[in-house]
Amino acid sequence: IIDQRCVACHAPTPSFAGFTAPPKGVVLDTPEHILANTAAMQTQLATRVMPIGNLTQMTDAERETVLAWLRDGAPR
């Protein structure tokens, strides 16, 4: 889900049109980067701020799945 809904913008070189750098410098392309940003991701997803304007069409079910996974410590 993160790869499909987040990494298009949150990559070292975003592939989503209009993004030349990852928003706020947050990169989510590796497990280590995800773990380093767990708290911020939980806040952004829970408040529905991200994906910004839901540009990547994240569903409510996907949002809840990612939030539950992050609450569990993002196990691999």
Side-chain angles (χ1 to χ4, degrees), residues 10-24:
H10 291 284
T13 304
S15 61
F16 201 91
F19 287 84
T20 58
K24 295 189 178 184

Side-chain angles (χ1 to χ4, degrees), residues 14-74:
S15 61
F16 201 91
F19 287 84
T20 58
K24 295 189 178 184
V26 175
V27 177
L28 303 174
D29 63 338
T30 67
E32 294 76 22
H33 288 147
I34 292 167
L35 288 172
N37 290 286
T38 298
M41 288 175 69
Q42 286 175 307
T43 300
Q44 297 297 316
L45 289 167
T47 59
R48 304 182 70 79
V49 171
M50 288 288 149
I52 191 165
N54 205 20
L55 290 173
T56 59
Q57 305 299 305
M58 179 179 269
T59 67
D60 289 339
E62 289 171 332
R63 185 178 306 275
E64 288 306 316
T65 297
V66 174
L67 283 167
W69 180 70
L70 291 170
R71 282 191 297 270
D72 287 343

